[in-house]
Amino acid sequence: MAKKARIVIIGAGMAGLTAANKLYTSSNNTFELSVVEGGSRIGGRINTSEFSSEKIEMGATWIHGIGGSPVYRIAKETGSLVSDEPWECMDSTIDKAKTFAEGGFEIEPSIVESISGLFTALMELAQGKEISQSDADLSRLAHIYETATRVCSKGSSTSVGSFLKSGFDAYWDSISNGGEEGVKGYGKWSRKSLEEAIFTMFSNTQRTYTSADELSTLDFAAESEYQMFPGEEITIAKGYLSVIHHLASVLPQGVIQLNRKVTKIEWQSNEVKLHFSDGSVVFADHVIVTVSLGVLKAGIETDAELFSPPLPDFKSDAIRRLGYGVVNKLFVEMSQRKFPSLQLVFDREDSEFRFVKIPWWMRRTATITPIHSNSKVLLSWFAGKEALELEKLTDEEIKDGVMTTISCLIGKEVKNDTAKPLTNGSLNDDDEAMKITKVLKSKWGSDPLFRGSYSYVAVGSSGDDLDAMAEPLPKINKKVGQVNGHDQAKVHELQVMFAGEATHRTHYSTTHGAYYSGLREANRLLKHYKCNF
């Protein structure tokens, strides 16, 4: 009997388990398959949990468009989209968000909607989409887009942040009347400062979508390559882990090995040699690496390199150039239900009217929202420096910071620097006491198995780098039969392969991108061994 090809998949997240599922179900027992996971659970950056007796997601949360999504298909087929238990559904029955500006001013919805429309249109233009606006609005937007693009094109590398800033400036220049005068009913806020702060709020939400600390680091040209599925965006009632468990369920016991952290990958000989943190060694014919881009970045920069020999320049350069950021979620349990959904508008950093009691790590948080219409659990998203700071804070510091922020934004009689913390304060007209009883936060940045949340195309990188991430090693020159100068017969093909969201050119940063990448690498091996699939 011919010896089975040995395949080791590093990482039991979406990409790794999709690859394992495909290889096991399509190979007719051709392979000796194992999945080694450095942590104590499967799922990777998918981690369904519970807080205040309600199902929540500590990591991946959304199915980004149900039209054509493989994640949606699996969740639907497994009955995971419905549940009798409460979950983080972010349902549309939640009352329309109330928007408050620093100083205790509730902003008229018409003002917010105007800036929301501008921001959405600019992002859709950046993404190469057709926008649905009235003829008059389209004409104005065309002028704004043309101006913003012209301003941006003067630089060598254009960012999404610079495009948005130029777009807002062009919008403001297109308004005939001045904007430095005050806005009636909004204290010290001028029209321009208020609208600019609302625009910044939407930019902060965009930061959490991309994981970029600043949108000025997000490449503009690559934005139009990113693809989304049509249809609504939804969460999974029985939890995102239900999809993971479905993928893993076909694998025989023992295939998935937990608490098996790989410390070195020796390649470019007749076989791949994997070293583990417990001192053990495993040999393989093929290894599929599905660790995060953050782990790969650390693996090529540290003294103890993950790969031996080091990765070729085309691969390591792509790893260095691509962006990889941190997004964290903060859940707070309130003492009672019916907390309104809030949008938070903060003054500029250089404004003399800022409330100094609001902690800096709260100032780029755009929303505080109940996770469903009858929940006493609120959710806020943090990105970049603020997300990393959140990981270091104690529960008491978080409680104080959140309540002080809410007080300074929606307190009834709030004066500069004299806002009373809401721990024993009130939110409602009837002065009903409202307190935070407990908190829970994710810590993706400090977790050594992830070192962050998801990838983005940074200024200076491109979609080509995502393609380079997906290239298997060794890179074979088919014409001359050599691999980096070695005789091809001595170096097996497809020794080290790569999957994960950061290896997909058009669906990076998503669970379905990770799914597709796992499928891609499994199919590559099935084709190599001429399996029918």
Side-chain angles (χ1 to χ4, degrees):
M1 181 182 289
K3 184 183 175 185
K4 291 183 180 180
R6 300 160 298 176
I7 301 174
V8 177
I9 298 170
I10 302 175
M14 178 67 87
L17 291 176
T18 300
N21 178 290
K22 182 65 177 178
L23 287 167
Y24 182 76
T25 57
S26 302
S27 64
N28 196 24
N29 205 25
T30 302
F31 307 122
E32 182 184 309
L33 181 66
S34 60
V35 180
V36 293
E37 165 57 49
S40 58
R41 60 175 182 82
I42 65 173
R45 284 167 275 176
I46 293 170
N47 186 17
T48 305
S49 187
E50 193 174 275
F51 180 66
S52 187
S53 302
E54 300 192 342
K55 197 179 294 293
I56 58 163
E57 304 290 355
M58 298 299 287
T61 303
W62 296 95
I63 295 177
H64 293 289
I66 62 175
S69 167
V71 178
Y72 175 73
R73 175 181 54 78
I74 294 170
K76 187 176 181 181
E77 287 173 359
T78 55
S80 299
L81 296 176
V82 292
S83 175
D84 294 330
E85 303 297 321
W87 83 96
E88 186 185 341
C89 63
M90 309 306 294
D91 56 7
S92 57
T93 59
I94 296 175
D95 291 338
K96 206 166 192 177
K98 297 175 182 290
T99 307
F100 282 89
E102 191 167 344
F105 305 105
E106 184 173 358
I107 306 174
E108 284 290 327
S110 60
I111 299 175
V112 180
E113 286 162 11
S114 171
I115 302 303
S116 173
L118 171 67
F119 186 88
T120 301
L122 286 169
M123 281 307 304
E124 287 177 346
L125 288 165
Q127 291 160 355
K129 298 176 184 175
E130 288 188 12
I131 56 175
S132 53
Q133 302 274 343
S134 68
D135 289 342
D137 284 342
L138 278 174
S139 176
R140 187 178 64 138
L141 280 168
H143 167 71
I144 291 170
Y145 178 72
E146 182 186 339
T147 305
T149 306
R150 186 173 65 249
V151 171
C152 284
S153 64
K154 292 177 182 176
S156 56
S157 296
T158 305
S159 71
V160 170
S162 63
F163 171 76
L164 289 172
K165 182 182 183 307
S166 299
F168 181 83
D169 290 345
Y171 152 78
W172 193 254
D173 290 342
S174 72
I175 297 174
S176 55
N177 57 328
E180 295 305 329
E181 75 279 1
V183 186
K184 190 174 181 182
Y186 293 95
K188 302 286 188 180
W189 287 94
S190 68
R191 180 183 172 187
K192 183 175 183 181
S193 65
L194 185 63
E195 292 192 355
E196 191 172 35
I198 296 168
F199 193 85
T200 299
M201 175 185 73
F202 291 118
S203 296
N204 285 329
T205 297
Q206 193 67 30
R207 289 171 58 241
T208 66
Y209 295 164
T210 65
S211 90
D213 182 30
E214 301 285 352
L215 295 183
S216 59
T217 64
L218 197 64
D219 186 71
F220 179 75
E223 194 67 21
S224 59
E225 279 198 88
Y226 185 83
Q227 293 179 9
M228 287 187 66
F229 291 117
E232 63 181 319
E233 299 192 53
I234 61 171
T235 60
I236 302 176
K238 288 189 171 68
Y240 234 112
L241 270 180
S242 62
V243 175
I244 291 292
H245 289 147
H246 170 75
L247 292 169
S249 64
V250 303
L251 302 175
Q253 191 170 1
V255 168
I256 300 174
Q257 303 167 24
L258 299 178
N259 299 306
R260 296 279 282 153
K261 186 177 180 181
V262 175
T263 55
K264 188 170 287 291
I265 302 169
E266 289 188 47
W267 62 290
Q268 225 178 62
S269 62
N270 287 334
E271 56 191 353
V272 184
K273 185 178 181 181
L274 298 176
H275 298 259
F276 291 84
S277 57
D278 62 1
S280 62
V281 170
V282 167
F283 293 91
D285 299 297
H286 310 281
V287 173
I288 304 178
V289 179
T290 74
V291 299
S292 75
L293 178 58
V295 171
L296 290 175
K297 282 179 178 287
I300 64 171
E301 300 295 352
T302 56
D303 294 335
E305 284 206 49
L306 181 59
F307 296 91
S308 179
L311 295 175
D313 288 347
F314 86 90
K315 182 76 74 171
S316 58
D317 288 348
I319 290 170
R320 287 188 181 95
R321 282 191 294 257
L322 285 167
Y324 184 74
V326 183
V327 174
N328 278 316
K329 298 173 74 174
L330 171 65
F331 296 92
V332 300
E333 181 192 70
M334 303 303 291
S335 56
Q336 56 195 258
R337 303 179 197 278
K338 299 300 182 185
F339 191 98
S341 182
L342 301 179
Q343 293 189 133
L344 313 177
V345 176
F346 296 99
D347 214 337
R348 293 167 57 110
E349 285 185 27
D350 56 359
S351 170
E352 61 182 299
F353 305 117
R354 278 161 62 101
F355 286 76
V356 296
K357 285 192 174 183
I358 297 177
W360 68 269
W361 49 268
M362 279 295 299
R363 284 193 166 273
R364 292 204 293 177
T365 299
T367 58
I368 299 178
T369 311
I371 64 170
H372 63 78
S373 56
N374 192 39
S375 181
K376 59 182 179 180
V377 176
L378 311 182
L379 168 63
S380 282
W381 295 76
F382 294 76
K385 292 186 290 289
E386 291 81 4
L388 286 170
E389 181 68 15
L390 183 71
E391 298 186 18
K392 304 173 190 174
L393 298 172
T394 66
D395 287 0
E396 287 306 311
E397 287 173 326
I398 291 170
K399 288 178 185 177
D400 289 346
V402 171
M403 293 308 277
T404 298
T405 301
I406 293 172
S407 173
C408 289
L409 263 73
I410 72 170
K412 294 291 186 261
E413 293 183 9
V414 180
K415 294 182 180 178
N416 201 10
D417 300 335
T418 60
K420 297 176 183 177
L422 263 183
T423 307
N424 297 303
S426 64
L427 266 181
N428 304 328
D429 292 332
D430 55 4
D431 281 345
E432 197 171 7
M434 183 85 70
K435 292 190 288 187
I436 295 177
T437 49
K438 60 180 177 179
V439 302
L440 179 67
K441 62 191 176 185
S442 58
K443 298 180 181 180
W444 295 107
S446 55
D447 191 322
L449 295 177
F450 305 102
R451 296 178 176 269
S453 304
Y454 35 90
S455 63
Y456 62 95
V457 181
V459 171
S461 63
S462 71
D464 291 344
D465 287 330
L466 292 161
D467 285 343
M469 290 292 298
E471 280 278 335
L473 298 175
K475 197 169 185 179
I476 293 175
N477 185 336
K478 298 282 188 183
K479 290 181 181 178
V480 298
Q482 290 199 329
V483 187
N484 297 345
H486 296 274
D487 187 339
Q488 184 170 330
K490 294 179 181 176
V491 183
H492 293 190
E493 290 185 59
L494 307 180
Q495 282 196 335
V496 184
M497 304 161 71
F498 295 83
E501 52 85 13
T503 71
H504 200 289
R505 184 164 187 146
T506 57
H507 291 295
Y508 56 89
S509 81
T510 65
T511 54
H512 57 263
Y515 176 92
Y516 284 140
S517 73
L519 212 56
R520 179 193 66 222
E521 297 312 304
N523 287 340
R524 201 192 298 269
L525 282 171
L526 291 168
K527 183 180 179 182
H528 182 70
Y529 285 97
K530 298 180 172 57
C531 300
N532 294 320
F533 62 96

